[in-house]
């Protein structure tokens, strides 16, 4: 037993942190330490075992039952893995908290499925109105194009006047602009429907769960 004690004293004299560790892992009364060294031999002592400073050690009660485990120092790879696992769990907790807050907002915002559908209709109203305006503008541009095409027939096999050519190009650009607007507004309506479909599905899940909890009570 003298040799481990000399080692601990020498270590604590060199490093204050080791002195604190030595105090924390001081000899156990009515118990003992155990570990297996690099050769697989089972070692025991009434204090931390020098041969296992880089290995897992166990602290036992006097009757042999396990009191606690002192983990082996982590390698750089193990530290990296532990940090990644910690970050993953924290991210999962954050996602769970965000979902909980969304659920609370959903339940406080809507009293029924009918209320969700009313909100959907209100959200769709603006892009739908925009589609109707663009369709009306396209109809107007189509009429203008008919008149321009009549003029083009007059200049068949001849170079078009610059003013007529400009009007044709302006008409093409205007029609393309309105068609793009209609496509974007249809996308907006699809996104609105996706959002409200998800809200309705989640609302039904939450209210069903609440109903089941109330029934159990």
């Amino acid at each position: 037993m003298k040799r481990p004690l000399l080692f601990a004293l020498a270590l604590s004299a060199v490093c204050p942190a080791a002195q604190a560790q030595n105090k924390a892992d001081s000899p156990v009364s009515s118990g003992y330490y155990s570990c297996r060294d690099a050769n697989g031999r089972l070692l025991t002592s009434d204090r931390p075992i020098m041969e296992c400073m880089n290995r897992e050690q166990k602290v036992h009660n006097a009757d042999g039952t396990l009191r606690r485990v002192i983990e082996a120092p982590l390698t750089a790879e193990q530290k990296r893995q532990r940090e990644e696992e910690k970050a993953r769990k924290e991210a999962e907790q954050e996602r769970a908290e965000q979902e909980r807050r969304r659920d609370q907002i959903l339940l406080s915002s809507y009293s029924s499925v009918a209320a969700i559908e009313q909100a959907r209709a209100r959200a769709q109203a603006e892009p739908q109105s925009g589609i109707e305006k663009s369709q009306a503008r396209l109809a107007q541009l189509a009429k203008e194009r008919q008149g321009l095409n009549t003029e083009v027939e007059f200049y068949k096999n001849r170079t078009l006047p610059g003013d007529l050519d400009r009007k044709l190009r302006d008409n093409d650009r205007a029609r393309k602009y309105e068609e793009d607007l209609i496509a974007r507004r249809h996308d907006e309506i699809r996104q609105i429907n996706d959002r409200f479909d998800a809200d309705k599905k989640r609302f039904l899940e939450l209210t069903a769960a609440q109903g089941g909890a109330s029934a159990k009570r």
Side-chain angles (χ1 to χ4, degrees), residues 38-205:
N39 296 318
R41 292 181 304 157
L42 179 63
L43 305 178
T44 61
S45 175
D46 66 342
R47 67 193 64 237
I49 302 169
M50 180 179 63
E51 291 86 344
C52 293
M53 288 300 176
N54 291 322
R55 307 179 71 82
E56 179 186 276
Q57 299 193 46
K58 296 178 180 179
V59 183
H60 302 268
N61 296 310
D63 61 1
T65 57
L66 183 64
R67 183 182 303 177
R68 65 188 176 95
V69 175
I70 302 173
E71 293 184 356
L74 298 177
T75 64
E77 177 63 18
Q78 288 172 328
K79 288 180 180 178
R80 183 188 65 78
Q81 291 176 352
R82 182 167 291 188
E83 289 171 357
E84 288 180 353
E85 179 65 13
K86 179 182 177 183
R88 184 187 65 79
K89 289 182 178 179
E90 289 176 349
E92 288 179 353
Q93 291 173 351
E94 178 61 22
R95 284 193 295 270
E97 178 61 21
Q98 289 178 354
E99 183 174 348
R100 185 187 67 79
R101 288 196 293 267
R102 284 195 298 268
D103 288 346
Q104 289 179 335
I105 293 171
L106 185 63
L107 290 173
S108 63
S109 299
Y110 304 112
S111 58
S112 64
V113 170
I116 294 176
E117 292 302 335
Q118 290 169 0
R120 185 202 299 263
R122 288 194 297 271
Q124 290 177 340
E126 183 176 349
Q128 184 60 45
S129 175
I131 289 173
E132 292 169 2
K133 289 178 181 177
S134 289
Q135 289 172 336
R137 175 62 176 152
L138 282 174
Q140 180 185 356
L141 290 168
K143 289 181 181 179
E144 291 178 5
R145 186 62 183 231
Q146 288 178 350
L148 293 172
N149 287 340
T150 300
E151 292 187 49
V152 170
E153 287 295 324
F154 180 78
Y155 291 98
K156 191 173 183 179
N157 299 324
R158 288 186 293 170
T159 301
L160 295 177
D163 183 59
L164 178 57
D165 183 63
R166 178 184 57 77
K167 289 179 179 179
L168 287 169
R169 286 185 281 106
D170 287 347
N171 185 274
D172 287 340
R173 281 194 295 268
R175 284 188 296 131
K176 178 67 166 57
Y177 174 77
E178 297 300 336
E179 288 168 354
D180 288 345
L181 274 181
I182 289 173
R184 288 199 297 271
R185 284 162 177 157
H186 276 304
D187 284 341
E188 185 179 350
I189 289 175
R190 278 193 291 271
Q191 291 171 9
I192 289 170
N193 281 326
D194 288 344
R195 185 174 78 249
F196 279 94
D197 285 345
D199 283 350
K200 182 166 72 171
K201 179 176 181 293
R202 185 58 179 163
F203 180 84
L204 289 171
E205 291 172 349

